[in-house]
Amino acid sequence: MKVAVIGANGQLGTDVAAAFAKRGTQVRCLTHSDIEVVSAESIESSLGTDAPELIVNTVAMHQVEQCEQRPDEAFAVNALGPKNLALQANRIGAVLMHVSTDYVFDGSKGAPYCEDDTPRPLNAYGVTKLAGEHFVRSLANKYFLVRTSALYGKSPCRGKGGLNFVELMLKLGRERGKVRVVDDEYVTPTSTKELARQMVALSESTHYGLYNATANGSCSWYEFAREIFAAAGVQATVEAAAPGEFPAKTPRPKYSVLDNRGLRSIGLDLFGSWQSGLSEYLSAGLAATN
């Protein structure tokens, strides 16, 4: 199978490309210099020859505050980009796999969201990602739409200063010995390596549709930070921030935990707990430095 991974130098895209290559798949890695998803002409030029059988889109404008400030740009990348890719996938007979987000929900449910729950995003980022979902679901003949949450991975997240939450906590803990973290926002931390494995397994099926794809379980950012220090053996104190201590510039869901009901229904939920994913991530980092 020929696979084109768009955003192949990003935090998720790097692991996705590696996971497909590990399966012996012919992978074409495309970065921003190779393809511009907001341009239908660029997409057709990049994917019209030597056409892939699977197009994996990991590109997104995901800086929440920037999306709020530049909604037109966010809509172009997060909504029109998937639309253009869906139409190109149809033209060449390819399957489209597109990555979306837990931020399509407002967090008011207070229990894990399933695939059939009604989205209600709170900010421009969530709105534009939901619009991208609608374009994929209404236009693509064959697609996998994958919603995920709170990603972290070994490749730098350039859009967020290069440090994921795990690395930021470790840096601050070692430098300061104490950190304060919000305790009223609940997510499911998910490693990009685990998500990449899941995406490969899903792509090898014909169970097209919408899937939640996160590690199992949930925690607050405060609980996540505590587990990071404990698992890494870093002596640092974590304190729960008071409500409103770190006011967000843009509204965010207080509870955006996802339930992998769809994956379980087809026997393809490969995720372990979020704690085991973190342990694997940290172990790989230690091995790389030894």
Side-chain angles (χ1 to χ4, degrees):
M1 179 170 65
K2 294 181 180 179
V3 177
V5 178
I6 303 174
N9 61 339
Q11 180 176 238
L12 174 59
T14 299
D15 281 334
V16 168
F20 274 108
K22 188 175 181 180
R23 296 286 289 182
T25 305
Q26 183 178 336
V27 182
R28 186 178 175 198
C29 296
L30 298 172
T31 67
H32 184 71
S33 61
D34 303 308
I35 188 170
E36 177 51 73
V37 296
V38 302
S39 166
E41 292 78 12
S42 174
I43 288 173
E44 186 169 5
S45 174
S46 298
L47 299 175
T49 58
D50 192 27
E53 298 157 82
L54 173 68
I55 301 168
V56 182
N57 182 35
T58 69
V59 170
M61 183 174 172
H62 49 66
Q63 303 92 334
V64 175
E65 281 75 27
Q66 290 185 22
C67 289
E68 209 69 25
Q69 296 162 4
R70 306 200 300 270
D72 290 349
E73 182 181 344
F75 188 82
V77 176
N78 296 340
L80 297 182
K83 174 193 174 185
N84 293 335
L85 290 170
L87 294 174
Q88 180 64 20
N90 291 348
R91 281 192 287 270
I92 62 178
V95 178
L96 175 62
M97 177 174 279
H98 175 65
V99 180
S100 191
T101 175
D102 54 336
Y103 271 37
V104 299
F105 296 110
D106 67 0
S108 63
K109 182 181 179 182
Y113 285 94
C114 302
E115 288 85 352
D116 56 0
D117 283 321
T118 302
R120 187 177 179 273
L122 296 177
N123 52 48
Y125 169 63
V127 168
T128 58
K129 290 295 288 184
L130 181 59
E133 288 190 8
H134 286 314
F135 277 127
V136 171
R137 298 179 77 176
S138 62
L139 295 176
N141 293 334
K142 294 182 290 185
Y143 67 87
F144 296 105
L145 184 54
V146 178
R147 287 178 182 155
T148 193
S149 168
L151 291 180
Y152 61 92
K154 285 300 178 185
S155 294
C157 182
R158 292 170 298 158
K160 295 184 178 180
L163 290 180
N164 61 47
F165 184 80
V166 178
E167 301 302 334
L168 177 60
M169 288 298 102
L170 292 174
K171 179 178 184 293
L172 294 178
R174 289 171 177 140
E175 290 176 354
R176 302 177 183 178
K178 181 171 69 174
V179 296
R180 293 178 64 80
V181 185
V182 295
D183 194 28
D184 60 351
E185 292 181 16
Y186 288 81
V187 295
T188 298
T190 303
S191 82
T192 53
K193 188 172 183 179
E194 273 199 298
L195 177 57
R197 285 197 295 257
Q198 182 67 72
M199 290 168 66
V200 170
L202 187 59
S203 76
E204 294 172 345
S205 78
T206 54
H207 297 287
Y208 305 121
L210 167 64
Y211 294 93
N212 294 337
T214 71
N216 290 301
S218 63
C219 62
S220 69
W221 290 107
Y222 162 76
E223 292 167 335
F224 187 26
R226 289 188 61 181
E227 183 67 20
I228 290 168
F229 293 132
V234 173
Q235 298 299 313
T237 302
V238 186
E239 297 177 347
E245 182 175 342
F246 302 123
K249 297 177 182 178
T250 304
R252 300 166 187 254
K254 293 292 187 181
Y255 187 97
S256 57
V257 178
L258 303 180
D259 181 349
N260 296 352
R261 179 180 296 179
L263 290 174
R264 291 197 304 274
S265 72
I266 59 173
L268 275 181
D269 186 359
L270 305 185
F271 287 100
S273 67
W274 67 265
Q275 294 94 331
S276 66
L278 174 63
S279 179
E280 180 187 14
Y281 171 87
L282 292 171
S283 296
L286 289 173
T289 59
N290 292 334

